[in-house]
Amino acid sequence: MANESPSLLFYCRPGFEKDCAAEIMARSSAESLPGYVRARHGDGWLQFHGADSGVVEELSDGLDLRDLVFPRQWLLASAEPIPLPRRDRVQPVLEALENAGRIGPYAALCLDHPDTNCGKQVSALTRRLRKPLEKGLASAGISSNATSAPRRLHLFFSDFDQVFPAEGLVGRSSPEANGILRLRQSRGAPSRSGLKLDEAIRLMLPSDVQDTLLRPAAMAVDLGAAPGGWSWQLVRRHIRVTAVDNGPIQPELLDSGLVEHRREDGFRYRPPSPVDLLVCDMVERPVRVSDLVAHWLAQGWCRAVIFNLKLPMKQRHQTVRDCLARLPTGPAWHTVCRHLYHDRDEVTVAVFPAGATLREATLG
Ligand SMILES: C[S@@+](CC[C@H](N)C(=O)[O-])C[C@H]1O[C@@H](n2cnc3c(N)ncnc32)[C@H](O)[C@@H]1O
């Protein structure tokens, strides 16, 4: 970004702006890079401004979406939006890019909007603007499809009347439109809840961890399994599952022959022999779930875990910090915690072995 003092732009689930802001401010203060956040409840986005010039660039140096919990996306953005007159919304954008010295080349052009009702209406506008913007960028000599370029050009339409030009780093920010990985529920799946595990596997586990832990015939335990959405995600990857829950499991899932249903208390269940993966979606106090998972890892009952922490309405950021502090740390383990698109008042955590050969989960 040239010729102007940028801000950091974050997208999040509407209603989680305060948690996102608390996370960013904790980071800014831990790195002694002071600044402030502008956020409004329900908007689904917020901005961090540095107290001094250089703060935003320094803070962005170490930012990687995989290390953040509540943001779905982070971008280096103009501090102020460009007003969009209704008669012509293309030319002002092109002029602003030129004035800011944003000449690319870019790996992609992303036209984003908030994940709100207003944002959904704005998406009709962004669809209409794509072609003229692409044409205008090409005429201005700004490439927006240079596959090996290190940045993407994002235009964030916070509403119909203004846009924030922004840049996202390939590999450290989300390649998905609006930072959302949309997954379609497969026919026959027992619950929508399974999409959480599918998203977690795709976004949080590096590909070689997936290859090792989620190979056919691997063994898993699913605590709080009913009606079976998470187990179903494992079974479709040909993994054998012990599904622990007093509630009923979908009969078709049991017919797969890969699921053993145990009507037991998930806090008391012990596997007869170590398994590859523990997953847990029990509705319980987050601290209690974290301690249980930490115990499984410490005892060597599983090689990795993916679990959900159901969050209280207040102090969600602090609750997540407290829970993560109870998990094993050190060079042997890698922990990722994300507020996924398919999560609601909860976050998903993955803990897996950190080996020298493990590649990072690919953000694209
Ligand atoms: C959110 S639902 C799980 C949904 C499931 N992951 C799916 O995809 O279909 C939470 C489940 O946790 C179970 N549960 C809560 N406390 C439990 C406990 N102590 N032991 C076993 N299951 C428990 C409930 O019976 C309920 O079925």
Side-chain angles (χ1 to χ4, degrees):
M1 295 238 320
N3 303 347
E4 61 170 315
S5 165
S7 68
L8 290 173
L9 177 64
F10 296 91
Y11 308 163
C12 66
R13 186 183 186 86
F16 284 74
E17 298 79 8
K18 228 172 86 184
D19 313 284
C20 199
E23 183 179 1
I24 304 312
M25 289 309 292
R27 204 171 169 116
S28 116
S29 101
E31 296 189 24
S32 303
L33 292 169
Y36 60 96
V37 163
R38 266 197 218 151
R40 211 167 51 185
H41 183 78
D43 274 358
W45 62 279
L46 53 97
Q47 260 182 306
F48 172 88
H49 298 269
D52 309 308
S53 67
V55 161
V56 162
E57 283 88 345
E58 268 195 70
L59 196 57
S60 72
D61 266 354
L63 271 190
D64 187 318
L65 194 64
R66 288 162 292 206
D67 300 333
L68 298 172
V69 177
F70 291 102
R72 290 175 175 171
Q73 179 63 292
W74 77 272
L75 303 168
L76 274 161
S78 302
E80 297 300 330
I82 305 169
L84 292 175
R86 296 202 170 189
R87 66 193 140 69
D88 178 6
R89 289 184 168 100
V90 174
Q91 203 51 37
V93 173
L94 297 173
E95 277 166 18
L97 292 176
E98 197 184 334
N99 292 341
R102 290 178 209 257
I103 50 169
Y106 294 108
L109 169 66
C110 308
L111 304 183
D112 294 343
H113 57 78
D115 181 21
T116 56
N117 287 337
C118 167
K120 283 188 190 98
Q121 291 168 26
V122 172
S123 71
L125 170 71
T126 58
R127 277 198 298 276
R128 273 205 316 278
L129 288 181
R130 175 166 286 280
K131 279 249 155 66
L133 280 168
E134 281 173 351
K135 211 167 139 200
L137 288 173
S139 311
I142 303 175
S143 167
S144 61
N145 58 2
T147 39
S148 57
R151 287 158 192 258
R152 300 182 195 90
L153 176 61
H154 291 254
L155 297 174
F156 176 64
F157 293 79
S158 56
D159 59 38
F160 285 98
D161 301 319
Q162 59 177 30
V163 66
F164 289 89
E167 293 179 350
L169 295 179
V170 173
R172 289 205 272 139
S173 63
S174 171
E176 307 295 337
N178 308 312
I180 295 173
L181 177 63
R182 286 188 187 273
L183 297 169
R184 201 172 290 157
Q185 188 174 355
S186 308
R187 278 230 313 266
S191 67
R192 271 194 69 73
S193 174
L195 293 177
K196 285 185 275 185
L197 184 60
D198 196 16
E199 188 182 355
I201 289 170
R202 290 165 191 261
L203 283 189
M204 297 166 75
L205 294 188
S207 55
D208 51 351
V209 173
Q210 291 186 38
D211 293 346
T212 315
L213 291 175
L214 305 179
R215 69 192 187 286
M219 307 280 284
V221 168
D222 181 358
L223 300 179
W230 286 36
S231 291
W232 191 87
Q233 286 295 337
L234 299 172
V235 163
R236 82 185 181 96
R237 291 169 170 87
H238 310 285
I239 294 169
R240 306 187 76 83
V241 184
T242 303
V244 182
D245 201 309
N246 275 316
I249 299 290
Q250 187 201 60
E252 292 84 342
L253 191 56
L254 296 175
D255 290 345
S256 68
L258 290 175
V259 177
E260 181 195 0
H261 183 191
R262 303 287 297 259
R263 291 185 185 274
E264 289 184 43
D265 180 351
F267 286 92
R268 291 172 172 270
Y269 174 81
R270 303 285 175 262
S273 54
V275 295
D276 297 290
L277 180 67
L278 170 69
V279 299
C280 172
D281 190 25
M282 288 191 289
V283 181
E284 248 296 343
R285 282 187 303 119
V287 165
R288 195 168 177 224
V289 171
S290 302
D291 286 346
L292 177 71
V293 159
H295 189 62
W296 272 66
L297 289 167
Q299 296 298 316
W301 294 342
C302 60
R303 297 167 72 192
V305 293
I306 299 178
F307 63 104
N308 237 225
L309 293 173
K310 314 291 173 190
L311 297 178
M313 290 312 284
K314 289 189 181 157
Q315 302 289 324
R316 291 184 285 218
H317 171 247
Q318 191 53 47
T319 303
V320 170
R321 280 176 80 138
D322 294 346
C323 288
L324 295 182
R326 303 171 98 92
L327 299 175
T329 50
W333 296 106
H334 202 91
T335 301
V336 185
C337 176
R338 300 289 308 278
H339 188 211
L340 299 172
Y341 173 66
H342 295 94
D343 284 332
R344 288 177 185 266
D345 293 330
E346 59 201 342
V347 290
T348 303
V349 188
V351 187
F352 50 87
T357 59
L358 295 185
R359 293 184 303 273
E360 291 293 301
T362 319
L363 282 168

